[in-house]
Amino acid sequence: MAGYEDAENEWSRIEKAIRTSLRHLRGGSVWISRRQSAERAPLEGQGESAEVAALQRFPVEVQLYIMALLAPIDLCRLGCVSRYWNAAVRDPLLWRYFLLRDLPGWNSVDHLSLPDAAFLRKSLTEGAEQDYMTAYLRSSPEGRKHWKLSHPASSSMTSFFYSLVPQAEPRFAMFGPGLEQLDSSLVTKMMNSPGLLPLATLPQRQIDGIGSGISFLFNSTNKFNILTLYSTTWKERECARIEENEVVNKLFVQQDAAGVHGDAHGDGQQKAGYTIIPPVQNVCRVVNGFIYVANAEARRRHEREQEWLQIRAMIDPALGSPSRPILVLCCVSTPDVARIPCVYVSHQLHLNQLDRPWLAHDTDAQSLGGFLEGIEWILQEAGRL
């Protein structure tokens, strides 16, 4: 919650700075040098329109004000007009504004695109020479989609080789507080989703204390199996959900802090870690990936540090391949519930410290918005699409 509010305040602060104090913040030197170097060089398009030429004669702060009203894609197009505008549209303060403004609205982020938290926390003057334009284009969903379309070969080849060998349907372990704390049941909605068809097939291998999971058919062609790991009994979960209390998670056993070599953030403090109970260890040895359901409702208090330690225990490399993907569903009960954006949840859960593919995606339990996109991603990462 604190990170979410801080980011909102930062967004408002940058917006105000962009619109009222740009000349003071920039000191004029950067833009003066850009204007002089661009005007000395011949324009690439001598036949540019009178409107663009008139825009170039506006004061610097007016130009930046106008550019701040444009969509990033339109700003990139403006940069193709001339050398002057190619330099102007790269202004780092402008792209920092776009980045902080648009981050809360992005519905997904992954291991290749999450902006560094320290990068975002820099002050306006400290971040003046940072490449926020590259960070924005790499992190935005549209930018990631463009990159994916321009690099299709490796994933296609992987899927091709998988198709040559008979494969058992992939299995995924699903766990996390979002399975138990929300007013709408994600699993119940999954069982009744038109995009997923529960299958009545021969059961997968039974795991003592867990069962064989539920098999689904995705897009009418791709089978997969989900093993849902609840931390407590249904009655205990319902009582805790109604009273908004925490329950003892029976999937994990807390370790003595003395046996843990500091926390993952380098702050020098020792924090207790977790191990998982033997039946869940058996699950982790056979699954092809993990689905973590995070509670992303802004109204609740969340124990993200504890969640991070539990995620680490579940994906322990000693229990299976360290390259198995993890899908993080940033889940709320219904679409109208105030949520913590997936970018902030990713930072709170320290997902940038994972050495495996991951995707964080906004979803809601009522409509399953974003859920099927996440399933498609993890099936691709497991080589099944």
Side-chain angles (χ1 to χ4, degrees):
M1 280 296 294
Y4 175 67
E5 292 170 355
D6 290 345
E8 289 289 316
N9 293 335
E10 177 75 352
W11 172 17
S12 300
R13 192 164 64 90
I14 291 176
E15 184 174 20
K16 182 178 179 181
I18 282 280
R19 301 186 185 282
T20 62
S21 306
L22 278 167
R23 184 175 290 277
H24 173 70
L25 286 168
R26 305 294 299 185
S29 59
V30 175
W31 269 77
I32 290 171
S33 63
R34 285 182 182 176
R35 180 187 287 270
Q36 290 173 344
S37 62
E39 289 177 347
R40 283 196 299 269
L43 293 176
E44 295 175 357
Q46 293 292 341
E48 66 181 2
S49 67
E51 291 85 354
V52 173
L55 179 61
Q56 186 170 324
R57 289 193 292 269
F58 284 148
V60 168
E61 63 268 24
V62 175
Q63 294 178 22
L64 281 171
Y65 177 83
I66 293 172
M67 287 191 289
L69 301 177
L70 298 177
I73 187 171
D74 295 325
L75 203 62
C76 292
R77 290 169 180 157
L78 178 62
C80 298
V81 170
S82 69
R83 292 185 181 181
Y84 174 80
W85 287 110
N86 184 269
V89 301
R90 296 175 182 274
D91 183 83
L93 192 58
L94 186 66
W95 284 95
R96 179 185 172 97
Y97 164 72
F98 285 139
L99 189 61
L100 270 291
R101 181 196 68 184
D102 295 346
L103 270 177
W106 292 342
N107 63 6
S108 66
V109 67
D110 64 15
H111 58 292
L112 299 175
S113 62
L114 179 68
D116 185 70
F119 183 68
L120 299 176
R121 283 198 297 264
K122 288 182 179 295
S123 68
L124 293 175
T125 51
E126 285 178 331
E129 299 306 320
Q130 298 292 327
D131 192 356
Y132 288 104
M133 180 179 179
T134 298
Y136 184 99
L137 297 177
R138 185 186 68 241
S139 303
S140 68
E142 285 301 316
R144 291 183 0 239
K145 186 185 300 182
H146 176 77
W147 186 93
K148 184 178 179 181
L149 291 174
S150 62
H151 297 77
S154 59
S155 60
S156 300
M157 189 63 67
T158 301
S159 297
F160 171 72
F161 282 124
Y162 268 108
S163 69
L164 297 179
V165 181
Q167 298 285 329
E169 62 189 55
R171 308 184 79 178
F172 304 108
M174 186 163 68
F175 66 107
L179 286 175
E180 309 177 14
Q181 296 174 350
L182 302 179
D183 293 334
S184 297
S185 169
L186 180 67
V187 175
T188 300
K189 294 297 181 180
M190 286 168 52
M191 298 295 293
N192 296 280
S193 169
L196 289 177
L197 178 64
L199 296 177
T201 61
L202 292 175
Q204 288 265 12
R205 169 190 162 190
Q206 291 277 345
I207 299 175
D208 291 342
I210 303 295
S212 60
I214 301 173
S215 293
F216 294 91
L217 188 64
F218 176 69
N219 281 346
S220 303
T221 54
N222 302 102
K223 296 180 181 179
F224 68 97
N225 181 269
I226 288 184
L227 289 153
T228 306
L229 306 175
Y230 290 110
S231 66
T232 57
T233 65
W234 179 85
K235 185 175 181 179
E236 291 170 325
R237 294 196 304 271
E238 274 299 291
C239 290
R241 183 187 63 80
I242 294 171
E243 299 172 5
E244 295 192 357
N245 291 331
E246 298 294 328
V247 295
V248 177
N249 194 320
K250 298 178 181 178
L251 300 177
F252 301 91
V253 178
Q254 193 164 10
Q255 294 176 317
D256 187 350
V260 180
H261 302 290
D263 78 321
H265 333 304
D267 61 8
Q269 299 178 355
Q270 289 188 336
K271 297 182 180 180
Y274 291 90
T275 58
I276 52 179
I277 60 175
V280 178
Q281 291 181 19
N282 294 333
V283 170
C284 294
R285 292 188 178 100
V286 302
V287 296
N288 302 91
F290 302 88
I291 302 174
Y292 184 76
V293 186
N295 185 337
E297 294 188 349
R299 66 185 180 87
R300 288 186 64 103
R301 178 176 174 271
H302 305 288
E303 299 292 341
R304 299 300 193 204
E305 295 298 324
Q306 180 176 296
E307 292 180 50
W308 159 240
L309 294 174
Q310 292 174 351
I311 291 173
R312 289 177 61 193
M314 190 71 72
I315 64 174
D316 187 347
L319 299 174
S321 169
S323 63
R324 291 178 293 179
I326 178 168
L327 169 64
V328 178
L329 298 174
C330 305
C331 197
V332 296
S333 299
T334 58
D336 59 337
V337 171
R339 69 161 60 247
I340 303 173
C342 62
V343 174
Y344 302 148
V345 174
S346 300
H347 282 304
Q348 292 167 359
L349 291 175
H350 311 294
L351 298 183
N352 60 312
Q353 298 182 29
L354 297 178
D355 56 355
R356 66 184 65 219
W358 59 265
L359 173 75
H361 206 300
D362 287 341
T363 189
D364 69 90
Q366 184 181 73
S367 70
L368 293 185
F371 177 78
L372 296 180
E373 290 86 345
I375 292 297
E376 181 178 16
W377 174 84
I378 200 169
L379 287 173
Q380 288 175 339
E381 289 296 323
R384 299 308 199 269
L385 284 182

